[in-house]
Amino acid sequence: MAIRDKASQLRSAENIGIRKGELLKLVTLVQRKIEKGDTVDKIADDLLEDQEIIEKIYNLIRKYPDKDEKEICNFLI
């Protein structure tokens, strides 16, 4: 039974890591698009993402311009 629990924990940790990595990539892309002067609508359209998610990321990046991608991700998790 303990082996199954350990395997389940490892799968769960792996899934969390994958989600964090995807979020980090999204934050990086949004930062680049902001630097180009893109709007929330354009970024969401270009990245084929939900506007609400992009708007949250966009607002955090604008509010904390001194924070890097990982720090912005920590606000979202």
Side-chain angles (χ1 to χ4, degrees):
M1 181 107 146
I3 294 173
R4 285 187 181 169
D5 290 342
K6 186 71 168 176
S8 176
Q9 289 175 346
L10 288 173
R11 278 193 303 277
S12 178
E14 181 181 20
N15 288 335
I16 290 168
I18 289 169
R19 287 194 303 266
K20 284 182 179 181
E22 290 171 347
L23 181 59
L24 181 62
K25 181 65 176 178
L26 185 58
V27 169
T28 301
L29 291 171
V30 172
Q31 281 182 322
R32 290 180 187 165
K33 295 238 174 233
I34 289 172
E35 290 170 4
K36 290 175 58 179
D38 290 353
T39 64
V40 171
D41 291 336
K42 180 165 178 10
I43 295 169
D45 189 49
D46 288 351
L47 300 179
L48 304 174
E49 290 289 340
D50 183 55
Q51 184 176 351
E52 289 181 28
I53 295 168
I54 298 300
E55 191 167 20
K56 284 181 185 178
I57 295 169
Y58 185 96
N59 289 337
L60 284 170
I61 292 169
R62 289 293 192 187
K63 185 174 182 179
Y64 303 104
D66 57 323
K67 303 290 185 192
D68 67 16
E69 296 90 353
K70 289 180 185 176
E71 292 170 312
I72 296 294
C73 283
N74 287 335
F75 285 121
L76 297 164
I77 297 174

